[in-house]
Amino acid sequence: MSNKTWSGRFNEPVSELVKQYTGSIDFDKRLAQADIQGSLAHAQMLHEAGILSAQDLADIQSGMAQIQDEIAAGKLQWSLDLEDVHMNIERRLTDKIGDAGKRLHTGRSRNDQVATDIRLWLRGEIDVIRSLIRDVQSALAELAQQNADVVMPGFTHLQVAQPVSFGHHMLAYVEMLGRDDERMADCRKRVNRMPLGAAALAGTTFPIRRETTAKLLDFEEICQNSLDAVSDRDFAIEFTAAASLLMIHLSRLSEELIVWMSPRFGFIDIADRFCTGSSIMPQKKNPDVPELVRGKSGRVIGHLTGLLVLMKSQPLAYNKDNQEDKEPLFDTVDTVVDTLRIYADMMRGITVKPDNMRAAVLQGFATATDLADYLVKKGVPFRDSHEVVAQAVRHAEQNGCDLADLSLDVLRGFSSLIEADVFAVLTPEGSLNARNHLGGTAPEQVRAQAARWLAQLAD
């Protein structure tokens, strides 16, 4: 029983089965650096508050430095008997420096300690994720800039709708990821609030200085209610929700890359290093990376659901249920980080096939709306012009040609207001150039938006 800090209360040791079931050291040891960081700040505060002697503080600082070295070298022996990362580090510290290590826990509980560790760790991971989001945005903006003049069919209901610039299409995802970055930044503000000092649930009788600890740990705010500080994991849920939206955006782009790479579309090719072959079909080149991104989005969404269910029925304050917050949170971070890293590289290995895209535009009467707008500019009410163009489309479809292939005489049969200048309107390039306004798909606008994003991301 000597390994248990609470062993004096019990008449028999914990069973081996319970140890295995309740232990968390296998996964929460990744919080070790955050745990040491929080402990050092707590010790500094205890000293400044007159609770911990200068010698004890020096011993703690020295011992923690040695433990950090052991962790970095892979020499620290993690023990399941000690349950979690906190007790493993505290026991190792006590082994090294004696009673000073036992005094470190004055004025705190594992409840506020673990809440602090998770926030410290997640804060750093959010910073990494935001940097990786911007790298993917840069790759997409570069691709947009290079392909501002490339015309492709824009789709609604997965049917050809209107011509758009391929660059414009890429910039749509840059905008989505920009909002994902904003959500991460906003979430970080609520993550960066300090629970330390809440102790088990009611605070502590020691004259602690929470403002000092918060400053040492670079927390922006301090949790104002001790019960709330140790019991809620809404910050982890909020992060996982933001991560789910991010993964959904990448999943949507992945779906398009998969479809576009199919010979039926042939819009793009993905570099070989991101694809695999078949064990039986020699000709195959499979877009495994975007397919797996699409699949992993469900994994992150599942973690969000799990965390929501984890919290939904817990009474105040801390409950052992909350040990289950770490694995889904850790896996969400790992999945998002790995996905963003590979995505930026993959997008820089995309080969665009402009001829195939342009040919696809010509298959779906993509300039029909342009012809309707042309008639409106001649004075025809839009609803009437819509009907006129619908008849022209039906005629072209019956004759197996595009609107631009109809002769002027045939087009004038639908409206006498149509003149020879109509053919400039009916080309895919003419359709793009006509939409030269903020947010439009004209190449000039695409280049301006790509340049704006690249400058913003570089800054």
Side-chain angles (χ1 to χ4, degrees), residues 111-391:
N111 294 356
D112 61 342
Q113 186 178 358
V114 66
T116 301
D117 288 0
I118 295 173
R119 287 173 183 265
L120 285 172
W121 173 82
L122 183 56
R123 180 180 73 186
E125 295 300 323
I126 289 174
D127 292 342
V128 171
I129 288 169
R130 293 191 64 203
S131 176
L132 292 171
I133 288 174
R134 292 192 288 272
D135 193 27
V136 177
Q137 286 181 287
S138 293
L140 291 168
E142 290 162 7
L143 198 58
Q145 193 173 56
Q146 296 159 9
N147 295 277
D149 294 299
V150 173
V151 63
M152 67 172 289
F155 297 93
T156 61
H157 309 279
L158 207 56
Q159 306 299 308
V160 174
Q162 293 177 320
V164 297
S165 159
F166 179 77
H168 191 61
H169 199 114
M170 291 298 98
L171 287 173
Y173 286 101
V174 176
E175 295 286 340
M176 294 180 207
L177 291 171
R179 293 192 295 276
D180 290 322
D181 182 51
E182 290 173 8
R183 273 185 282 271
M184 287 292 176
D186 197 52
C187 172
R188 191 188 189 280
K189 297 175 185 177
R190 283 173 287 283
V191 170
N192 203 27
R193 295 175 181 172
M194 190 188 74
L196 204 59
L201 76 163
T204 176
T205 59
F206 293 95
I208 60 173
R209 300 172 180 177
R210 298 186 71 200
E211 295 83 357
T212 298
T213 317
K215 185 176 181 180
L216 289 169
L217 293 173
D218 202 25
F219 278 111
E220 296 175 51
E221 295 185 35
I222 298 172
C223 296
Q224 298 292 307
N225 182 285
S226 60
L227 287 166
D228 172 60
V230 299
S231 65
D232 208 341
R233 295 295 184 266
D234 58 355
F235 65 92
I237 294 172
E238 182 180 0
F239 165 78
T240 310
S244 296
L245 281 170
L246 168 58
M247 289 298 293
I248 285 172
H249 289 151
L250 294 177
S251 180
R252 294 182 68 188
L253 178 53
S254 295
E255 172 71 8
E256 294 195 309
L257 295 177
I258 292 162
V259 171
W260 292 347
M261 189 175 163
S262 164
R264 291 292 182 185
F265 279 73
F267 288 0
I268 62 156
D269 193 26
I270 298 175
D272 288 355
R273 64 184 180 275
F274 302 103
C275 300
T276 64
S278 165
S279 62
I280 189 173
M281 295 171 284
Q283 83 282 11
K284 292 298 292 298
K285 179 179 175 180
N286 299 323
D288 278 17
V289 168
E291 287 179 353
L292 198 52
V293 171
R294 191 175 57 182
K296 284 180 179 291
S297 65
R299 180 182 186 133
V300 173
I301 294 166
H303 290 325
L304 171 60
T305 303
L307 288 171
L308 287 166
V309 174
L310 175 70
M311 290 303 306
K312 74 175 183 65
S313 299
Q314 287 194 42
L316 293 177
Y318 181 83
N319 299 280
K320 189 67 170 178
D321 311 46
N322 284 336
Q323 181 172 297
E324 291 296 301
D325 64 353
K326 295 169 194 63
E327 288 177 287
L329 182 61
F330 294 163
D331 189 69
T332 294
V333 168
D334 291 344
T335 301
V336 169
V337 167
D338 290 346
T339 299
L340 289 169
R341 280 185 176 143
I342 200 167
Y343 226 99
D345 194 14
M346 182 178 68
M347 294 311 298
R348 291 188 172 102
I350 294 287
T351 300
V352 177
K353 299 181 177 180
D355 293 343
N356 291 350
M357 290 189 187
R358 193 179 192 283
V361 173
L362 300 177
Q363 293 176 6
F365 308 104
T367 58
T369 304
D370 296 272
L371 180 55
D373 290 346
Y374 172 89
L375 291 172
V376 169
K377 292 171 184 176
K378 296 282 187 176
V380 179
F382 181 79
R383 287 302 170 200
D384 292 340
S385 70
H386 186 286
E387 180 64 23
V388 168
V389 176
Q391 294 173 12

Side-chain angles (χ1 to χ4, degrees), residues 391-431:
Q391 294 173 12
V393 167
R394 185 169 60 194
H395 178 83
E397 187 175 43
Q398 290 169 351
N399 287 272
C401 64
D402 188 60
L403 288 172
D405 298 324
L406 298 177
S407 68
L408 180 59
D409 287 342
V410 170
L411 287 169
R412 286 179 63 82
F414 298 105
S415 173
S416 60
L417 295 175
I418 296 177
E419 299 174 1
D421 61 349
V422 73
F423 292 104
V425 170
L426 294 179
T427 66
E429 291 76 16
S431 177

